[in-house]
Amino acid sequence: MSGESIRLRRLRRTSALRAMVNETALRPADLIMPIFVAAGADRCEPLASIPGVNLLAGASLAREAEAIARAGVPAVLLFGVLDDAGKDAAASQAVRPGNAVCEAIGRIRNQRPELTVIADLCLCEYTDHRHCGILREGRIDNDATVAVLAEAAVVLARAGADIIAPSGVMDGAVAALRRALDAAGMSHVALMPYSAKFASGFYGPFKAASQSTPQESHHATHQIQVGNIREALRKIAVDVAEGADMVIVKPALTSLDVLALARDTVPVPLAGYDVSGFHAMLARHCGTDEALRRELTREVLTCIRRAGAKMIITYSAKDIAPHL
Ligand code: PBG
Ligand code: ZN
């Protein structure tokens, strides 16, 4: 056919045609809303570093769960924020039944039983030195850390978590968590590790919000260096072999190539994490222009899905879901 008879604009002419040929739908069902939870009867404190996101406890947490479910978002991802007084070198709060995160899980379960509750699991929120694991001679001890994570996973599962999301990128964590959960009669609880988690400066606002910034970072010893896609794919494969039910790629926007490759080679559902640094940048760029923020958010999330993510973890989930 000659150049004049091939006209791609024919399928762009009406919104009905554009909808018919749309390849990448964005639906509320794909979204996961992160929330920061603390101990207490009622707390709702804006997190200065993550615009629009609050630290929640008690009645306010229940209200937020209600709002999230009403917006059509089916899942939440929980992060515990502890007072310094509760932190120690052994991360002992992480394995205490009834800790702040367990309490929060109960609240959400109670308020909206149909919400899928995903519990993030890393020791940086529980250690007084704020590293992501148990230290031995100043270094993160992989196996000692994994042992604590396995115990903590059972505590979270017993509190009602549907999915545990180990985020510290330790070796053998998925296998150990699977074994511990099964032994505790929790074989129905799924594992969603942060497998392709790159060492990134874009977690900055999150680290500030969760008060888990260590004095001297050891992240390069467990998170993946940003240039290494083969290593990221290998870690995904290892975690899947160990029993991961789903895997997270993060930060999503700087890992679209990883998502694109993983989509065709990884046999489990993929989640992309639209991280705090990008959320903060977008919020700053848009200021008070809500419509612009929605438009840009939709574009960003669509591109994360186009690259290969089935699910998207985003601080915008609750805001954008009713507009999809
Ligand atoms: C670890 C964890 C982090 C994030 C999610 N889980 C921080 C880190 O690993 O340093 C970052 C999320 C974000 O930046 O939005 N608990
Ligand atoms: Zn951590």
Side-chain angles (χ1 to χ4, degrees):
M1 263 196 273
S2 75
E4 296 93 74
S5 53
I6 297 177
R7 289 183 176 249
L8 278 71
R9 289 187 59 210
R10 278 182 205 115
L11 298 186
R12 301 175 193 152
R13 189 170 55 85
T14 69
S15 62
L17 280 167
R18 290 193 296 273
M20 191 169 75
V21 299
N22 174 30
E23 298 173 32
T24 308
L26 195 59
R27 301 168 310 154
D30 303 315
L31 302 180
I32 298 169
M33 178 79 189
I35 49 180
F36 294 82
V37 301
D42 190 11
R43 283 170 81 175
C44 180
E45 298 150 19
L47 295 169
S49 60
I50 312 183
V53 178
N54 299 308
L55 176 62
L56 299 159
S60 292
L61 173 61
R63 247 192 319 278
E64 179 69 0
E66 185 65 33
I68 290 167
R70 213 173 302 139
V73 177
V76 290
L77 172 60
L78 263 64
F79 301 104
V81 180
L82 266 73
D83 298 325
D84 282 339
K87 300 184 184 184
D88 59 23
S92 32
Q93 278 294 319
V95 300
R96 186 177 70 76
N99 68 23
V101 180
C102 294
E103 209 177 290
I105 292 170
R107 281 269 178 187
I108 297 166
R109 283 259 83 96
N110 221 25
Q111 184 70 29
R112 280 288 191 155
E114 79 277 24
L115 272 179
T116 293
V117 176
I118 309 170
D120 181 274
L121 176 55
C122 192
L123 299 189
C124 52
E125 286 138 50
Y126 301 97
T127 52
D128 51 7
H129 46 64
R130 301 180 173 199
H131 289 294
C132 296
I134 304 297
L135 295 185
R136 185 187 288 172
E137 284 156 22
R139 292 169 168 271
I140 295 175
D141 183 318
N142 189 88
D143 297 2
T145 301
V146 168
V148 178
L149 291 173
E151 226 182 300
V154 171
V155 166
L156 293 167
R158 288 208 172 111
D162 296 294
I163 302 174
I164 312 290
S167 57
V169 215
M170 295 296 144
D171 287 319
V174 173
L177 265 60
R178 188 68 274 157
R179 227 177 298 122
L181 289 167
D182 291 353
M186 296 284 150
S187 57
H188 59 284
V189 173
L191 291 175
M192 184 187 200
Y194 294 69
S195 303
K197 175 167 178 174
F198 293 97
S200 165
F202 289 107
Y203 309 149
F206 174 97
K207 297 306 273 182
S210 60
Q211 297 159 33
S212 62
T213 310
Q215 264 189 347
E216 181 205 357
S217 173
H218 292 183
H219 286 145
T221 70
H222 46 106
Q223 299 174 357
I224 299 167
Q225 58 177 310
V226 293
N228 284 14
I229 190 166
R230 290 160 59 79
E231 186 181 347
L233 292 169
R234 188 177 181 206
K235 179 59 172 157
I236 292 174
V238 168
D239 283 357
V240 170
E242 288 184 17
D245 299 286
M246 303 175 259
V247 295
I248 301 173
V249 174
K250 148 185 185 190
L253 274 181
T254 49
S255 310
L256 297 180
D257 53 345
V258 180
L259 285 167
L261 271 175
R263 169 177 50 196
D264 295 330
T265 54
V266 172
V268 300
L270 293 171
Y273 197 140
D274 177 27
V275 300
S276 58
F278 289 104
H279 179 80
M281 273 200 304
L282 199 71
R284 203 155 299 137
H285 173 70
C286 298
T288 56
D289 190 341
E290 292 281 310
L292 176 65
R293 194 166 50 81
R294 224 173 279 141
E295 181 194 332
L296 296 184
T297 298
R298 182 196 291 268
E299 179 176 333
V300 164
L301 300 185
T302 299
C303 293
I304 293 171
R305 284 219 76 211
R306 188 191 66 203
K310 170 61 184 71
M311 298 89 76
I312 304 175
I313 304 164
T314 172
Y315 300 96
S316 301
K318 185 184 65 170
D319 290 340
I320 198 84
H323 300 279
L324 298 178

